[in-house]
Amino acid sequence: ASLTKSYHREKKMMYTIDVFVSPALYEPHTMKQPYTAVAVDILRATTAICAAFTAGAEVIVPLTSISQLPKYRHNGFHIAAERNGIKIMQAEFGNSPTEYLKMDLTGKRIANGTSCILKTAHANRSYVGSFSNISVLLKQLTEKPQNTVVVCSGWNQDAGIEDVLFAGEVAQRLIESGLFTAGNDSTHMAIDLWNIAKNDLLQYSSKASHVERLQRLGYQNDIEFAFQHDTCHCLPKLNPINQLVLAEI
């Protein structure tokens, strides 16, 4: 009887990790609170956000539409926005993490035209994830565990190889911590893909449509940087007014 009670206590301490390979598959209103969300867009939004904070940015505001950019420019924000990998004309910055790391962004407030992050606003904790900050992220997720979802940005509502690989590594490492169990089939699929590709992420991802798109635009340095682990020791989080700031780590 005592073993049975112990078993049930341990079961109650388990948390789920769910992977959504496209934002179209993630419905925040169906999630049971409290839970943590991790937004990921490896090529290149979340990688660039981590780089911008590493370069000293104070606040980054994710937006749903470029039509919002003039309002933020008027309020003293620096504008960062791209469409199809190309910086739009009124933007000061694009989405290049390697360019951000060459800048001094100390104290700057940036409005960024990326919307996937805002979809995670209903979570009681929402973080930005990338390979560049994966160890810091995993430390936070295991030290303050609760049910967790990884929301992949993909491309045009479709899955992206690079985001699913990241989700697979996060899911596997959380499960290996002993605190988490897979919550949906996509989690198992992402883990399997991660284990196929993990010995050479760059090579495996060369078939990804977004990699090919960025290569045509001349962003090979960004592609290579995006698959490197732990280049940015920071953890951006979404605050209650939907601004990205740095979490305490």
Side-chain angles (χ1 to χ4, degrees):
S2 62
L3 287 176
T4 302
K5 291 179 181 178
S6 176
Y7 171 79
H8 286 297
R9 282 198 299 270
E10 289 176 6
K11 292 292 285 183
K12 289 179 182 179
M13 293 176 62
M14 293 294 287
Y15 304 93
T16 58
I17 169 65
D18 289 87
V19 170
F20 294 91
V21 299
S22 163
L25 299 173
Y26 168 65
E27 180 46 68
H29 296 288
T30 67
M31 306 304 298
K32 183 179 179 181
Q33 291 279 5
Y35 74 100
T36 296
V38 179
V40 54
D41 184 352
I42 296 298
L43 295 172
R44 293 168 290 157
T46 57
T47 305
I49 287 167
C50 289
F53 275 114
T54 299
E58 180 180 343
V59 173
I60 298 177
V61 179
L63 306 178
T64 57
S65 168
I66 61 174
S67 64
Q68 298 173 281
L69 294 175
K71 179 183 75 172
Y72 280 91
R73 184 194 298 276
H74 180 74
N75 289 328
F77 282 76
H78 299 269
I79 304 303
E82 290 183 350
R83 282 297 174 265
N84 298 319
I86 301 173
K87 184 170 69 175
I88 63 176
M89 290 182 62
Q90 63 264 44
E92 298 169 68
F93 310 130
N95 248 348
S96 171
T98 57
E99 289 181 10
Y100 279 135
L101 290 174
K102 296 175 184 176
M103 301 176 184
D104 181 3
L105 300 179
T106 303
K108 293 190 184 303
R109 299 182 300 159
I110 299 172
N112 190 314
T114 183
S115 61
C116 172
I117 295 164
L118 289 176
K119 218 173 167 187
T120 67
H122 289 85
N124 72 308
R125 292 201 297 252
S126 174
Y127 299 120
V128 164
S130 66
F131 287 113
S132 62
N133 75 333
I134 190 168
S135 291
V136 175
L137 172 67
L138 286 166
K139 184 174 184 289
Q140 189 83 344
L141 296 179
T142 53
E143 288 185 351
K144 299 179 179 179
Q146 56 185 16
N147 293 339
T148 297
V149 300
V150 179
V151 183
C152 300
S153 175
W155 179 259
N156 290 335
Q157 304 301 309
D158 199 1
I161 288 172
E162 64 283 355
D163 295 342
V164 178
L165 289 174
F166 170 83
E169 181 176 8
V170 169
Q172 178 164 311
R173 293 176 65 178
L174 289 180
I175 291 169
E176 288 173 349
S177 75
L179 297 171
F180 292 82
T181 185
N184 62 2
D185 284 358
S186 293
T187 302
H188 293 294
M189 294 160 62
I191 291 171
D192 287 348
L193 192 68
W194 159 252
N195 281 300
I196 291 169
K198 64 183 180 182
N199 291 330
D200 195 339
L201 292 177
L202 198 59
Q203 175 60 35
Y204 186 87
S205 299
S206 63
K207 67 186 79 175
S209 61
H210 207 32
V211 167
E212 294 175 349
R213 189 177 301 109
L214 291 173
Q215 285 175 330
R216 289 195 296 270
L217 295 170
Y219 288 116
Q220 183 63 30
N221 287 343
D222 280 353
I223 295 168
E224 293 175 5
F225 179 83
F227 290 101
Q228 296 176 27
H229 285 58
D230 299 327
T231 52
C232 299
H233 190 72
C234 66
L235 184 58
K237 69 173 182 179
L238 199 62
N239 69 12
I241 57 173
N242 289 343
Q243 294 181 339
L244 290 171
V245 295
L246 288 177
E248 293 185 10
I249 54 176

